[in-house]
Amino acid sequence: MIPTATKTTFADLHLSKPLLRVLAEANYHHPTPIQEELIPHALKGRDVIGQAQTGTGKTASFLLPYLNSWKENGPPGPTALILVPTRELAVQVAEEAKKLCPTHHIKTMAVYGGTRVVSQMKALKDGIDLVVGTPGRVLDLIARGSLHLHGIKYAVLDEADRMLDIGFRPDIEKILRRVPKERQTLLLSATVPDSVMRLTTRYMIDPFHINLCPDEPTVSKIRQTFYTVDQDRKFELLLRVLVKERPRQAIVFCRRKRDADKLFTKLRPKVPRCGAMHGDLQQSQRDRIMAGFRQGKVVVLIATDVVGRGIDVVGISHVINYDLPDDIENYVHRIGRTGRIGNDGVAISFVTPEEGDHLTSIEMQVNRLLEEERMPNFEAYSPRAKKVDPEPKAASPVFGRRSVKKYRRL
Ligand code: AMP
C-alpha cells in the first residue's frame, strides 16, 4: 500500500511542462507506483481499473491525465466528473485538483450534501470544468437543472467498492447513463468484488487493470498492538496511552456516534486539542474540524468508521481502536489512516476480554498476530469483574489465551 518512490520522473511520463512545474512546486518529484502505472494508459485515452488504496497517491494518478489534456476554449460546462463516497473525500480530491492545476483557468468544485445547494448552483452557472461530488448531490444538481453532463469526457469512480458498500449503486448507474458514451472512464477501488466488476463490464470499454494492492491487506510498516482492557477502564487507558505514545496526530475510532460524542465530552477537559467527527454533525462543523486536523491544530480526532475512512492527513502517527470495528474489513481501512506516504505508523487496539474471538478474526484477516502491550501500574480490569466466575469459558484456544489473563491477575 505504501508507495515507495520510483526512479521514474514525471517528465518520463510525458506530462506537459506547466504540469511538471506545478508538480515540482508541490514537491512531487517521482511518481508513486500507481501514478507510474496508471498515467501512461490514461494519457492514451484508455479506460483503466486501478486497484489501489488511499495513501498511495491515487488521487493525483487520476487527476493528472485530465489536467494534462485540458484545453482552453473547450465546450461550456464540466468536462470531468469524479464521483466519491464521502463529503470529506470530495473536499480532499477537489483540494488536490486545485493544488495540481497548471493554470487558474481550470475551475474545480466539490459538491456534496449538507451544504447549501444554492451556492453550488451559482458556481456551476459561472462555469466549472471539473466536478468532484458524492452521487446523491450530483443527482440533486442534475435534477435542479444546474449540472449538465453532456460535455463530460472524463469520468472517475473513486473508491468504487466503498460507494457500492454505502448503497450508491442506483445513483452511480443513473449518473453514468447520463454521461456521453464517448468518454474515458477510470475506476479506483481497493478491492474488486463481483459488484464492482459488474459496474466495469457495464460502463467501461476494454479497461486496463492495474492491481497494486498487496496480498497482505495491511501496511507492513504499521506496528500493530493491542491492550486487553475492560470496557469501563478504556478511558483511563486512553489517557495513559496518549501520554506514553505522544502521538503527532491520532485518530481514535469508536463504534457508534454516541460513543464518539461521549468520549469527546470526557476527553476534551483533559486534551483540549481534540475533536470529534461523525455523520450527525453539520457539514460546516465537519469541515471546520477536518481543517483543524489537517493544519495540526487538532491532535486527537475521535471518529466513527463512516467518516474515518478516506481521511488523508500525513501527520497521523497513531490509530487507536477504542472500540474494535464490527466489520473486520474496517480494521484495515482504519489502520490505513496512519503510515501514509512512507511514514511509519502505530495502530493500537483496545480489546475487552470478551472480544478474544473478534481479535482472532482480525489477526486472520491481516495474517499476523498482534503484539499484546501492557501499561505499567495500570489496572485494566474493573473491580466489578472480580465477582465473575473465575473459570473462563474458553471456546477456542485463542479466546482462552486472551481472557484467562484477566482471571489470573485477580
Ligand atoms: P492519495 O492516495 O491520493 O490520498 O495521496 C496521499 C498523499 O500523498 C497526499 O497527501 C498527496 O498529496 C501525496 N502525494 C501524491 N502523489 C505524490 C507524489 N508523487 N510524491 C509525493 N507525495 C505525493
Side-chain angles (χ1 to χ4, degrees):
M1 168 166 172
I2 283 298
T4 38
T6 61
K7 290 214 175 81
T8 313
T9 63
F10 281 106
D12 295 332
L13 302 183
H14 306 293
L15 293 171
S16 68
K17 286 221 170 72
L19 208 45
L20 291 177
R21 254 195 310 275
V22 173
L23 286 164
E25 276 164 27
N27 272 330
Y28 291 12
H29 299 294
H30 298 277
T32 65
I34 184 68
Q35 292 163 1
E36 188 180 354
E37 296 260 345
L38 192 149
I39 291 170
H41 294 287
L43 284 177
K44 284 185 204 142
R46 181 124 191 224
D47 284 1
V48 185
I49 302 170
Q51 229 179 306
Q53 284 161 332
T54 330
T56 57
K58 71 175 166 64
T59 314
S61 78
F62 63 70
L63 287 174
L64 291 172
Y66 171 74
L67 298 175
N68 194 66
S69 52
W70 182 86
K71 285 192 185 60
E72 208 155 2
N73 306 321
T79 48
L81 174 68
I82 296 166
L83 294 177
V84 295
T86 62
R87 304 157 184 194
E88 281 69 35
L89 201 56
V91 172
Q92 231 166 261
V93 171
E95 276 175 10
E96 181 86 346
K98 279 185 193 131
K99 183 164 92 180
L100 297 177
C101 264
T103 144
H104 64 271
H105 295 301
I106 306 179
K107 303 277 184 248
T108 64
M109 185 168 69
V111 300
Y112 46 88
T115 47
R116 289 188 60 216
V117 75
V118 181
S119 51
Q120 292 174 358
M121 290 168 69
K122 186 178 173 307
L124 283 166
K125 211 168 164 201
D126 294 344
I128 295 289
D129 300 278
L130 184 150
V131 174
V132 186
T134 49
R137 181 51 67 96
V138 166
L139 273 182
D140 185 13
L141 288 164
I142 295 172
R144 288 168 188 265
S146 296
L147 178 57
H148 303 282
L149 300 184
H150 51 257
I152 299 291
K153 302 231 171 333
Y154 195 79
V156 180
L157 305 178
D158 189 17
E159 300 208 352
D161 51 352
R162 180 66 172 157
M163 284 202 281
L164 296 184
D165 281 354
I166 296 177
F168 278 140
R169 172 183 287 280
D171 288 356
I172 294 172
E173 299 213 22
K174 262 187 228 155
I175 294 165
L176 287 180
R177 281 199 293 269
R178 286 165 178 260
V179 179
K181 284 214 165 58
E182 308 71 47
R183 60 156 196 266
Q184 185 176 5
T185 311
L186 271 61
L187 178 144
L188 284 293
S189 197
T191 56
V192 183
D194 287 350
S195 53
V196 173
M197 273 320 269
R198 276 203 296 282
L199 265 190
T200 67
T201 41
R202 209 172 285 175
Y203 297 101
M204 297 176 84
I205 299 168
D206 185 24
F208 188 83
H209 189 169
I210 298 164
N211 183 1
L212 292 176
C213 283
D215 290 341
E216 188 183 333
T218 43
V219 186
S220 53
K221 276 187 153 183
I222 295 178
R223 180 163 66 87
Q224 297 173 55
T225 65
F226 74 94
Y227 287 90
T228 309
V229 59
D230 270 342
Q231 186 64 34
D232 51 6
R233 298 292 297 148
K234 282 184 180 178
F235 182 68
E236 268 309 306
L237 180 61
L238 176 65
L239 295 177
R240 301 280 193 107
V241 166
L242 291 175
V243 171
K244 177 174 173 246
E245 297 279 335
R246 303 199 156 277
R248 194 170 52 231
Q249 279 187 293
I251 301 197
V252 177
F253 278 102
C254 290
R255 201 171 285 147
R256 291 167 306 189
K257 293 171 204 168
R258 65 167 181 275
D259 301 329
D261 263 341
K262 262 197 230 156
L263 179 58
F264 175 60
T265 311
K266 270 164 85 179
L267 192 63
R268 193 166 43 173
K270 314 235 178 222
V271 181
R273 290 171 70 187
C274 77
M277 277 271 285
H278 56 68
D280 273 0
L281 295 179
Q282 279 181 358
Q283 190 56 40
S284 55
Q285 290 173 297
R286 283 166 67 163
D287 288 345
R288 195 159 26 82
I289 294 162
M290 262 322 286
F293 195 48
R294 267 201 205 102
Q295 291 156 14
K297 290 183 196 151
V298 171
V299 174
V300 177
L301 182 68
I302 301 165
T304 53
D305 287 303
V306 173
V307 289
R309 176 163 166 169
I311 290 179
D312 163 38
V313 174
V314 181
I316 301 171
S317 55
H318 288 67
V319 166
I320 299 174
N321 292 315
Y322 193 83
D323 298 315
L324 290 181
D326 280 332
D327 180 354
I328 290 166
E329 274 190 19
N330 275 336
Y331 176 82
V332 178
H333 294 307
R334 285 181 178 189
I335 72 165
R337 302 307 99 220
T338 185
R340 321 284 288 165
I341 293 280
N343 287 332
D344 288 355
V346 179
I348 298 171
S349 297
F350 291 1
V351 183
T352 65
E354 298 75 29
E355 287 176 324
D357 285 348
H358 206 99
L359 176 62
T360 308
S361 312
I362 287 173
E363 290 177 330
M364 282 162 68
Q365 168 89 8
V366 299
N367 199 20
R368 70 154 90 164
L369 279 180
L370 271 53
E371 195 185 306
E372 177 156 22
E373 289 203 66
R374 288 198 194 174
M375 187 60 72
N377 305 319
F378 172 71
E379 183 47 76
Y381 306 113
S382 61
R384 273 187 294 114
K386 287 181 180 155
K387 295 190 193 102
V388 175
D389 178 358
E391 278 305 310
K393 294 187 191 80
S396 70
V398 176
F399 182 83
R401 188 186 98 209
R402 307 291 185 215
S403 48
V404 85
K405 283 179 199 137
K406 169 178 178 178
Y407 299 92
R408 274 208 206 110
R409 287 162 57 96
L410 292 175

